Amino acid sequence: MTGDDFAATEAPLQNEDIVICKRVFDHIRATGHITDDDACDELAIQIIYFYQHGITNEDSLEQLVVSMAERQRPT
């Protein structure tokens, strides 16, 4: 099976993809936007989801995920 046989959302992440996603995850954690473990799990899921759906620029990915987290915070 080749990469052409997968839809973009089904293709496995390559090492360089994982490095980008981890850098975004670590930066969001370091800035204090996400602190509890359940939120960290959700953060990782969202980063990978949006990355697989075409948001591969680190800054754009981070801004999107942070803005979503801020909207979900209780007021």
Side-chain angles (χ1 to χ4, degrees), residues 12-72:
L13 294 177
Q14 301 300 310
N15 285 341
E16 59 271 11
D17 302 322
I18 295 168
V19 168
I20 291 169
C21 290
K22 176 131 176 46
R23 228 180 355 242
V24 170
F25 178 87
D26 290 344
H27 189 256
I28 292 171
R29 288 278 309 200
T31 58
H33 290 288
I34 306 292
T35 54
D36 86 26
D37 289 339
D38 289 337
C40 287
D41 291 346
E42 184 63 29
L43 172 64
I45 290 167
Q46 287 179 344
I47 289 170
I48 292 170
Y49 175 85
F50 288 119
Y51 189 90
Q52 288 180 316
H53 284 82
I55 312 296
T56 57
N57 176 277
E58 287 183 50
D59 292 333
S60 298
L61 184 57
E62 182 175 337
Q63 288 174 3
L64 175 62
V65 174
V66 167
S67 70
M68 290 184 66
E70 288 174 349
R71 278 189 260 145
Q72 294 174 355

